Amino acid sequence: MEALVASAVGIMTAAGIFLILRRRTFPVILGLSLLTYAVNVFLFATGRLALNAPAVLNKYEDVPYTDPLPQALVLTAIVISFGMTAVIVMISLSAYLSSRDDHIDMTAQDSVDAPGEDA
Amino acid sequence: MSLFLIAALPFLGAVFPALLIRAGRNAAASAAGLTTFLALMGLLIHIPSVMRGDVVSARFDWIPILGLNANFMLDGLGFLFALLILGIGLLIILYARFYLSREDPMGQFYTYLLLFQGAMVGIVLSDNVLLLLIFWELTSLSSFLLIGYWKHLPEGRQGARMALAVTGSGGLAMIAGMLILGNIVGSYDLSVILQNKELIQSSPHYLPALILILLGCFTKSAQFPFHFWLPHAMAAPTPVSAYLHSATMVKAGLFLMARMWPVLAGTDAWFYIVATTGLVTMLIGACIALFKDDLKALLAFSTVSHLGLVTMLLGFGTKFAAVAAVFHIINHATFKAALFMTAGIVDHETGTRDIKRLGGLRKLMPITFTIGTIAALSMAGLPPLNGFLSKEMMLEETVHTTWLNSPYLVPGLALLAALFSAAYSFRFVSHVFLGPQRSDYPAHPHDPPVGLWLAPAFLVVLVVLIGLYSAAIVGPLVTVVSSAVIGGEKLPYYSLKLWHGFTPALYMSVVATLGGLFLLALHRRGEQLWNALPRPEAKAIFDNVIGAFTVFSRWVTDGLHNGVISRYAIILIAFTLGLGYYAYSTGSLGAATREALPAPLIPFIGWICLVGATLAIMWFHRNRLLSLVLIGVVGLIVSMAFNYLSAPDLALTQISVEVVTMILLLLSLNFLPTDTPWDSSATRRWRDAAISVVAGLGTGALIYALMLRDFAFPTISEFHLANSYKGGGGTNVVNVILVDFRGFDTFGEIIVLGIAALIIFALTESVLGTNVRSYLLNRKPHWPQSGDSHPLMMVVVTRMMMPIALMVGAYIFFRGHNQPGGGFIAGLIVAIAYLMQYMASGYTWAIERQRFYYHGTIGWGVLIAAATGLGAWFNERPFLTSDFGYLHWPPLEEFEWATAMLFDTGVFLAVLGAVMLALDSLSRFAWQPGMAQEFPMDINPLRDNPPEEEQEKEQA
């Protein structure tokens, strides 16, 4: 089981990073999503894997529980990463609509056009 | 009045002028004046105890771990400066009311002025050096606002920048110096530091600390070679110059030197650095002042010179010199503020400050003439005015000073400076007021209204009275302040009186006065000579230095940030990989201690789906729609994996986030190109692939190694499991962690989520305000549109689903504390319930039926969560401590309530609002005119009357 999870994390990380290194906005967003999955599963797995041991207390018998802390952290991470994905999507959408260009890199011309400071 | 209140009043009062300016300029000025008056009264109440020599103090532990405490103390020195700051502040507020014109935003002016006043009062009352540093920086910032008050003038902006750059960097040096000092003593409390003279002066760090602190003082008090910012700061309105640059801010450096005098003074290093700097500054300032034609520039350099005088006196390190310094601070504040105000009046009434264009104003402006002349003669040091007294004391002291074995150097140079000082003072009087009346003034000069001359007149009365009855009026004050400066030791003999007999100082005074008159007579010749001399232009040098820094930082920034984002990413990833490799190669990996779990067939199938989908994304990522579908597969498998691996909460969250993310990405793809073209070279792709594979291998290997080993240290999770039910009242430990144990994190996270949604909203607003809207309206869709945009089946089904979905949301929410669920998941589910309506019935239809704004939902969520947390305070518990209990309402089963539930409601609302606001904003891009339909479907099941066509048929 551990091998499956670890290899999945590795493959998702590799794919995410490869896509993040592309030069258009949409692949970068996809890459970030993949990397988010990888990181979330990674964090979750730091609590070690357990089967049929959810961290819901059982009043009637003494049963093992999995580590709840990484789960709580990952839960908020999932929601926050949604917010961040949404922001990035909106930024790239606005940039594309304003310039009809979805390259993420600044061209040399862009740096020249950057507003200067006042006298 | 408590010292806290005195220090806080100006800050509190700063709000009022800005608000009251709508009620008129008088209201704003009165509010500022009243605030200052109250603070002044609060200060004066302490006169009896201060005059007894007591130290009034107020203490409050702010951040004791850092040694930063809000401790205030009021001794003689602090009292004198606070008196100057508040007293002259009151006069300036009166003067500025009449000085500023109708076009100037007066509310802002008084707000800045009060902020500055508060910062100054804070400096002089602080009993903690860290607190003092905070106020010190605040004066730099607020004076920046004041100097640049006339934003439309380039000189104002440049002067403000220069002042901030010089005093700000000095302040940074001082922070370092104070930290060293605090380190030597082991306390940041001034009163403790001041007790440790031997410890400090014997420390090897004494010299660096001294130099760093003096850098702060010298830059603030415009000492050579940092004096150049002060004349450029004269671009400020005159009330600012009179306040900041005569009475208060430039004296902050002097104050600090006086404050630190007991522990820093008395060494050779102190004498040679401080006294020499003061002497040079005094001489250079006086010399330049004589040849300045701008009235305010003349006064600015004269201020530089007089600050040098006081610095020199403090530098001498003798007790008598300290008394003279204190006395001169009082005198200089009175006559110089009056002179600045006079210059302002002349400028205001004649329309120019150029001495070359003035002269003969004596008859036209008799009141101004009287005020200006008395103040100027005091500055020249003529009896019986107060300037004479302190100058005499200064000269007397220089006679007893030897500098590098030369007994004549210091008195000689001081005499020369006094001579120049007399000369420019006489020039101020004679070239402005005396001489023939002219016919070419830019305006018709006459005396100003009483509001303008009242403040300087009051100061001039003080000038005369202190001169005549010095012992009676300021004698006790000087005694108290001087003993505070020299650290409570016995004062030397001194007497404040006009006639001391035929002393060397008297002869020097006579020489200075006569020499000054002589120089004035020769002024025209001297000016030619002066103008012929090459002089370094401070502003040009400053601009060059700043320019060089700008070029350097631009070079560094452009070199590192060339705008190629993938490059940044590569640097980050390569660096992280390097760190990982370093850790791996230097550390050791223990043997596996955990047994791997079995991997049955079904998880293996899931793994194949996930890996297959991921690889397919890589392969097909240029087809954007397809890669979205594939990434959805990955998300679903990840949520199933969470569920399989005992994390039901995560599974629920992941699957609902998956739905909204997919909707979001699909919506955005609507507006983006459908394909990604090939635009990186094969080499580059191989390079990226190599980096990714290495990163993937590293991450996978790391987590694999981690999962097969037990925790190296006991985890804190045991505590959470043990206390979840006892302390938090819930059996779902993950939820209890979220809303109770780590509630503060969650609170921060919902705020972040809310901010993200607001950013999305703001972006949408700003983009839709540009020509993007017209592009969107004329845009052709990528794909053929469906003939029926709101299919009947879907509309009916989603409306039927709505209450069910809401009920599921409620169910998930309420069971959250004890079973998988909770506010996060419930918020997402309810958001999906709403989104279904958007999708099925259309944006316009849904928005018309919307009864609440999503902004408000986010806001209420955060507020409810905060209020729940604050509620704990009323029970004297820390923020966000939760409480719970059990209720039994027949016929229901006994159930549990917890304040955490209320907190979770806040989480629920914030998540709901944020998700909806984000998607709602995105939907607005798709808006087209004519989309609004009363009924989204062809047939409205609710409608009583049949459609028109059927009616027509019936009629036919």
Side-chain angles (χ1 to χ4, degrees), chain B residues 482-505:
Chain B
S482 307
S483 50
V485 170
I486 61 175
E489 291 177 36
K490 195 175 173 301
L491 282 172
Y493 172 77
Y494 68 93
S495 73
L496 307 176
K497 60 183 181 186
L498 289 165
W499 183 250
H500 288 279
F502 292 101
T503 57

Side-chain angles (χ1 to χ4, degrees), chain A residues 36-54:
Chain A
T36 307
Y37 293 133
V39 171
N40 284 343
V41 175
F42 185 103
L43 285 179
F44 164 73
T46 58
R48 312 299 189 264
L49 304 186
L51 297 180
N52 299 321

Side-chain angles (χ1 to χ4, degrees), chain B residues 642-729:
Chain B
F642 282 144
N643 193 35
Y644 183 74
L645 296 169
S646 317
D649 286 277
L650 289 190
L652 281 171
T653 315
Q654 183 72 59
I655 202 160
S656 35
V657 161
E658 209 47 50
V659 174
V660 285
T661 313
M662 274 308 126
I663 296 174
L664 180 95
L665 287 171
L666 279 171
L667 273 175
S668 73
L669 192 55
N670 212 9
F671 306 100
L672 289 169
T674 52
D675 301 291
T676 307
W678 296 77
D679 52 5
S680 36
S681 61
T683 339
R684 197 188 142 120
R685 285 199 300 276
W686 279 111
R687 180 199 66 183
D688 294 349
I691 294 174
S692 326
V693 168
V694 174
L697 276 175
T699 321
L702 176 62
I703 193 63
Y704 184 68
L706 199 63
M707 281 189 291
L708 286 183
R709 278 153 190 86
D710 275 313
F711 296 103
F713 304 98
T715 66
I716 54 171
S717 303
E718 296 307 319
F719 170 84
H720 293 137
L721 286 167
N723 286 288
S724 170
Y725 189 69
K726 275 193 289 178

Side-chain angles (χ1 to χ4, degrees), chain B residues 338-356:
Chain B
L339 279 172
F340 265 113
M341 293 194 217
T342 312
I345 293 174
V346 170
D347 185 17
H348 205 253
E349 301 305 327
T350 64
T352 180
R353 302 196 308 243
D354 190 348
I355 297 181
K356 289 268 186 322

